[in-house]
Amino acid sequence: MIKCEKLTTTIPTEWDVVIVGAGPAGAFAAFLLAQHASNILLVDKANFPRPKVCGCCINNAALNLLNQYSLHNLMTEQGAVPLEQLCLFEAHRSATVNLPGGYSLSRNKFDTALIKAGIDRGVIFLPGTTAQVLNASPSGRAVQLQDEFNTQVINAKIVLVADGLGGRSLDRHAEFDFITDANSRFGCGTIVDDAPDYYQPGRIYMACASGGYVGLVRLEDGRVDVAAALDRDFSRAHSGPAKAATMIMRISNLPVPESLSTTHWTGTEALTRKRNQIAAERVFVLGDSCGYAEPFTGEGIAWALTSGAGVIELAQKGLTQWSPSLIQDWHFKHTKMIKARQDRSIAIAHGLRNDTLRHFAIPMIASFPLVASSIIKYIANTKVAAAR
């Protein structure tokens, strides 16, 4: 259970830092900034725990960051399942690759644990509250908060926006508009209680087809997380994501959980997109809010944590004395930290879309699993550039 506040007249109007979005990027940034700022407000439109479309895989790059910042016990304390193998399927072809480490953990538990770590350091958490970033003043940025009953305008010296792909907190500022890849897939997912025993703990199962791909992994509570990236036309042709995912699994000869078509599915905006800019006066954008690409297994959370850690130094400088140079500093630093990793994932995603490459790649992986394992190890273990 995490300690939450309500939007009432008791909420102070002046803050050092307001963070919009309590996913991995926002919650991690709040945890880290709590060592340097006296009053931090973390806001999220959802009430926690909340459903989230995610593959629920945390790779070694993400683990390295958690370990670096004193959260090395978070995985084991939450009962996370160690990951050992990636099993790939396409039509009658299959291949299994050993993983260099990582865990599966539901986003309910992972996000809640990060938020609690921040609260334990003095962060104030306000769930069930939407935020709109308003104009800057010499002393800070105004932020309008609204819950079911109340609206309040507060002021922050620094605002961090980490409200994800579908976040609306910057809607009043056209300079932050997204540029979306016209061919982008969308993400969708669900969690099933009745997955066949075929799906073993410690293994990621990934079924690939021309219309998208579906990943399945056993969670810490025994349920199975199902996450997919689908072409919109393919999803429409099969009357929605549940039937589209079922078709991909059947094409790949994977057993389909009976409840897959009846459980509640949640979806995302287009997966491959980026913002025109990711900083302005007293505002830094981080995590998925900066932009996104179809992620290689476990990479999405690694990008979010990287962004959350990377912004801390600049936020500290902004708290001491704001300088317009910090805007370009964040653009440069974020590109240095994230771009190469996202470009690599985009290349993998494009490869999965190509029928010829897909047909060729899986038999090659099956024939040379050590080569594939080495590549995955390189991607998963790559240290984050300039996170501090």
Side-chain angles (χ1 to χ4, degrees):
M1 202 70 179
I2 53 179
K3 181 182 177 183
C4 305
E5 302 293 336
K6 295 292 184 181
L7 182 57
T8 68
T9 54
T10 61
I11 294 293
T13 58
E14 297 292 329
W15 296 86
D16 283 343
V17 183
V18 170
I19 302 173
V20 183
F28 196 42
F31 167 77
L32 296 175
L33 274 170
Q35 299 178 93
H36 311 288
S38 59
N39 59 334
I40 297 172
L41 179 64
L42 178 63
V43 178
D44 199 285
K45 66 181 179 181
N47 289 298
F48 284 68
R50 53 92 166 91
K52 182 71 176 175
V53 178
C54 181
C56 293
C57 296
I58 300 163
N59 69 7
N60 278 3
L63 294 176
N64 289 338
L65 274 170
L66 294 174
N67 294 341
Q68 183 178 348
Y69 293 103
S70 305
L71 291 173
H72 48 279
N73 293 325
L74 189 146
M75 291 292 110
T76 53
E77 288 173 353
Q78 301 306 312
V81 181
L83 292 173
E84 299 172 353
Q85 292 182 322
L86 171 64
C87 306
L88 300 167
F89 301 86
E90 195 251 4
H92 61 278
R93 307 168 187 86
S94 65
T96 299
V97 182
N98 290 330
L99 295 173
Y103 289 89
S104 65
L105 181 65
S106 66
R107 286 293 299 273
N108 281 353
K109 281 205 167 185
F110 183 67
D111 291 6
T112 300
L114 280 180
I115 293 168
K116 184 178 184 302
I119 291 172
D120 289 345
R121 285 188 170 181
V123 173
I124 303 300
F125 179 45
L126 199 63
T129 304
T130 60
Q132 279 289 320
V133 178
L134 305 179
N135 294 330
S137 70
S139 62
R141 269 275 180 173
V143 180
Q144 179 180 289
L145 304 178
Q146 184 172 355
D147 66 9
E148 187 178 358
F149 303 106
N150 301 291
T151 300
Q152 184 173 343
V153 176
I154 61 175
N155 189 68
K157 294 178 183 176
I158 296 293
V159 177
L160 303 183
V161 173
D163 55 355
L165 280 173
R168 308 302 299 270
S169 66
L170 292 168
D171 279 3
R172 301 189 186 192
H173 305 278
E175 65 269 30
F176 286 107
D177 285 351
F178 276 111
I179 302 170
T180 303
D181 185 332
N183 296 315
S184 176
R185 287 171 168 163
F186 73 97
C188 54
T190 189
I191 296 178
V192 296
D193 298 320
D194 64 340
D197 291 341
Y198 176 88
Y199 297 106
Q200 294 294 306
R203 294 182 177 181
I204 303 168
Y205 299 83
M206 187 170 177
C208 307
S210 57
Y213 54 87
V214 181
L216 303 95
V217 68
R218 187 77 65 171
L219 299 174
E220 72 282 349
D221 58 6
R223 297 181 300 164
V224 167
D225 180 81
V226 183
L230 302 173
D231 292 335
R232 294 191 181 278
D233 289 345
F234 183 80
S235 179
R236 291 191 195 100
H238 292 86
S239 304
K243 290 184 178 179
T246 297
M247 177 59 67
I248 290 173
M249 293 175 66
R250 285 178 175 161
I251 290 171
S252 300
N253 297 309
L254 285 177
V256 179
E258 290 185 10
S259 65
L260 194 63
S261 61
T262 58
T263 55
H264 175 68
W265 283 70
T266 52
T268 70
E269 304 280 344
L271 287 174
T272 304
R273 49 173 36 206
K274 63 179 180 179
R275 285 194 191 269
N276 282 320
Q277 65 180 57
I278 58 170
E281 188 172 352
R282 296 185 181 273
V283 176
F284 298 105
V285 185
L286 54 148
D288 296 354
S289 293
C290 291
Y292 202 63
E294 292 180 41
F296 185 72
T297 300
E299 277 288 88
I301 289 177
W303 298 338
L305 296 179
T306 299
S307 194
V311 79
I312 301 305
E313 180 184 1
L314 298 182
Q316 287 179 258
K317 290 180 179 178
L319 285 170
T320 302
Q321 182 175 0
W322 177 260
S323 168
S325 65
L326 295 173
I327 296 171
Q328 283 305 116
D329 289 347
W330 181 232
H331 277 270
F332 175 79
K333 188 173 186 178
H334 190 269
T335 297
K336 184 178 179 182
M337 291 189 304
I338 303 292
K339 187 177 186 300
R341 301 187 72 100
Q342 290 195 339
D343 286 349
R344 202 157 44 222
S345 283
I346 290 171
I348 292 170
H350 284 173
L352 289 173
R353 290 181 183 218
N354 186 292
D355 289 345
T356 302
L357 283 177
R358 215 172 46 248
H359 297 340
F360 174 75
I362 289 184
M364 285 293 293
I365 292 170
S367 299
F368 303 100
L370 291 178
V371 174
S373 293
S374 297
I375 294 171
I376 291 174
K377 184 177 181 180
Y378 168 75
I379 295 172
N381 289 342
T382 300
K383 290 187 176 180
V384 175
R388 284 190 180 275

